[in-house]
Amino acid sequence: MEKPSFFVFLLILHCSIVSLAWTDKNISIDKSALLAFKSYITSDPYDFLANWSISSSPCNWTGVTCNTRHGRVHSLNLGGMDLKGTMSPQLGNISFLVELDLRDNSFYGQIPKELVQLHRLKLFNLSYNDFHGQVPAKIGDLSMLEHLSFRNNSLNGFIPLSLFNLSRLETLDLRSNFIEGTIPLEVGRLQRLKILRLALNKLSGFIPQTISNLSSLELLSLSYNSLSGMF
Ligand SMILES: *[C@@H]1O[C@H](CO)[C@@H](O)[C@H](O)[C@H]1NC(C)=O
Ligand SMILES: *[C@@H]1O[C@H](CO)[C@@H](O)[C@H](O)[C@H]1NC(C)=O
Ligand SMILES: *[C@@H]1O[C@H](CO)[C@@H](O)[C@H](O)[C@H]1NC(C)=O
Ligand SMILES: *[C@@H]1O[C@H](CO)[C@@H](O)[C@H](O)[C@H]1NC(C)=O
Ligand SMILES: *[C@@H]1O[C@H](CO)[C@@H](O)[C@H](O)[C@H]1NC(C)=O
Ligand SMILES: *[C@@H]1O[C@H](CO)[C@@H](O)[C@H](O)[C@H]1NC(C)=O
Ligand SMILES: *[C@@H]1O[C@H](CO)[C@@H](O)[C@H](O)[C@H]1NC(C)=O
Ligand SMILES: CC(=O)N[C@H]1CO[C@H](CO)[C@@H](O)[C@@H]1O
C-alpha cells in the first residue's frame, strides 16, 4: 500500500522539476520577444520603457505582469503611453499571454499574422492607433478570445470568416475603420456576444437577420455604413 503512493510522489516531484526547468528556459523567450518589441518602437517620449533592460526580469518591467503560478508573462498593458512604432511579430512567441493592450498609442503598419499563435489570449485591444491592412485571416485561431477591440484604426478588407469561430467572444469592436464587404450570416454563431460595434466602416449589403439569434447582445452599433434592411 505504501509503494504506489511513494511512486506517485516521485512522479509528481519529477514532473514539477521538469516543468520548472521548462518554464525557466522559456521566460527567456518572453524576454527576447519583449526586447524585440521594444526595438520596433521608434518613439517613447516619456521613457516608459526605460527600465526594460536585459539585466532585469521582464516581470518587473513597466506594463508587464507575470503569472504567479508559472512565472511567465501574462499581460502587456501599454495603453496611453504615446508610443510610436510597428508591432514586432515576435510578440507571437509570448505563449502564456492573456492580455495584449496597446490602446491609445501611435502604432502603425500591419497587425502581424504571428499573433494568432497566442492561444491563451483573452483580451486584445489595439483601439486608437493607426494600424493598416487587414484583420489577420486566422484570427479565429485565438480560441480563448473574449474581447477584441480594433476601434479607430485604418484597417481595410473583409471581416475574416474565421472570426465567427470565436465562441467565447463578448466584445467585437471594429468601429471606425475601412472594413468592407457584408456582415456574414455566421455572426449569429457568436452566442456570448454582448457588444457588437461596426459603425463608421464601409460595410454594405443586408443586415443579417441571424443577429436576432444573439441572445446576450446588449449593444449593437452599425450606423454610418451602407447597410440596408430592417432589423
Ligand atoms: C524590481 O525592481 C525594483 C526596482 O528596481 C527592485 O527593487 C526589485 O528588487 C525588483 N524585483 C524583482 C523581482 O526583480
Ligand atoms: C520599472 O518601473 C515600474 C513602474 O514605475 C516599477 O514598478 C518597476 O519596479 C521598475 N522595474 C525596474 C526593473 O526598475
Ligand atoms: C519568435 O518569433 C519569430 C518571428 O515570429 C521567429 O522567427 C523566432 O524563431 C521565434 N523565436 C523563438 C525563440 O521562439
Ligand atoms: C479598448 O480600449 C478603448 C480605449 O481606446 C476602451 O474604450 C475600450 O473599453 C477597451 N475595450 C476593451 C474590451 O478593453
Ligand atoms: C475616431 O474615428 C472617427 C471616424 O474616423 C474620427 O472622426 C475621430 O476623430 C477618431 N477619434 C480619434 C480620437 O482619433
Ligand atoms: C472554424 O473552426 C472549425 C473547427 O475547428 C474549422 O474546421 C474551420 O475551418 C474554421 N473556420 C474558419 C473559417 O476558419
Ligand atoms: C443560432 O444559435 C444557436 C444556438 O443557440 C446556434 O447553434 C446556431 O448556429 C445559431 N444560428 C445561426 C444561423 O447563427
Ligand atoms: C528553450 C526551450 O526550452 N524552449 C521550449 C519552450 O517551450 C516549447 C513548448 O511550448 C518547447 O517546444 C521548447 O523546446
Side-chain angles (χ1 to χ4, degrees):
M1 286 315 256
E2 287 297 311
K3 267 188 177 167
S5 61
F6 181 66
F7 281 122
V8 168
F9 169 75
L10 272 186
L11 185 68
I12 290 170
L13 187 68
H14 176 74
C15 287
S16 49
I17 288 170
V18 166
S19 85
L20 266 180
W22 173 78
T23 53
D24 195 39
K25 269 190 184 164
N26 274 275
I27 184 85
S28 63
I29 294 177
D30 298 355
K31 189 174 188 174
S32 63
L34 288 169
L35 288 172
F37 172 76
K38 182 183 177 182
S39 76
Y40 280 56
I41 290 173
T42 52
S43 173
D44 173 13
Y46 304 104
D47 275 339
F48 279 115
L49 307 188
N51 76 14
W52 285 35
S53 81
I54 192 134
S55 56
S56 56
S57 160
C59 303
N60 208 5
W61 294 350
T62 302
V64 180
T65 56
C66 290
N67 180 311
T68 47
R69 200 156 43 88
H70 38 61
R72 298 289 304 275
V73 171
H74 171 274
S75 61
L76 186 57
N77 291 301
L78 301 175
M81 293 186 176
D82 225 348
L83 303 173
K84 186 170 189 171
T86 56
M87 199 170 13
S88 159
Q90 293 237 17
L91 278 185
N93 292 344
I94 306 179
S95 45
F96 285 81
L97 201 65
V98 173
E99 291 182 19
L100 178 53
D101 193 345
L102 305 180
R103 70 175 79 170
D104 305 292
N105 282 292
S106 301
F107 286 98
Y108 61 95
Q110 307 254 346
I111 301 170
K113 60 181 187 316
E114 288 80 1
L115 296 189
V116 307
Q117 298 162 23
L118 298 170
H119 292 302
R120 292 178 174 84
L121 203 64
K122 290 186 181 171
L123 177 113
F124 195 2
N125 198 338
L126 303 179
S127 291
Y128 297 93
N129 280 283
D130 196 19
F131 286 106
H132 285 73
Q134 305 193 3
V135 175
K138 293 192 169 181
I139 190 104
D141 289 358
L142 297 173
S143 57
M144 301 299 280
L145 205 60
E146 294 172 2
H147 302 286
L148 175 61
S149 182
F150 292 167
R151 175 177 185 153
N152 270 66
N153 280 281
S154 301
L155 299 170
N156 59 27
F158 301 151
I159 305 174
L161 267 185
S162 76
L163 191 147
F164 303 104
N165 262 357
L166 295 173
S167 58
R168 294 169 186 255
L169 209 58
E170 294 176 19
T171 307
L172 175 58
D173 188 352
L174 300 175
R175 182 192 152 96
S176 198
N177 278 283
F178 304 106
I179 309 281
E180 57 188 311
T182 59
I183 303 174
L185 289 174
E186 285 81 355
V187 71
R189 290 169 52 193
L190 300 176
Q191 285 300 305
R192 299 209 190 156
L193 209 58
K194 291 183 181 159
I195 296 175
L196 177 58
R197 285 185 197 271
L198 300 173
L200 288 154
N201 278 289
K202 297 165 80 179
L203 293 163
S204 56
F206 285 96
I207 298 169
Q209 295 302 305
T210 52
I211 287 183
S212 62
N213 203 14
L214 302 177
S215 50
S216 307
L217 204 61
E218 291 165 5
L219 193 154
L220 175 65
S221 160
L222 303 175
S223 49
Y224 298 99
N225 281 290
S226 304
L227 294 164
S228 52
M230 295 275 283
F231 181 70

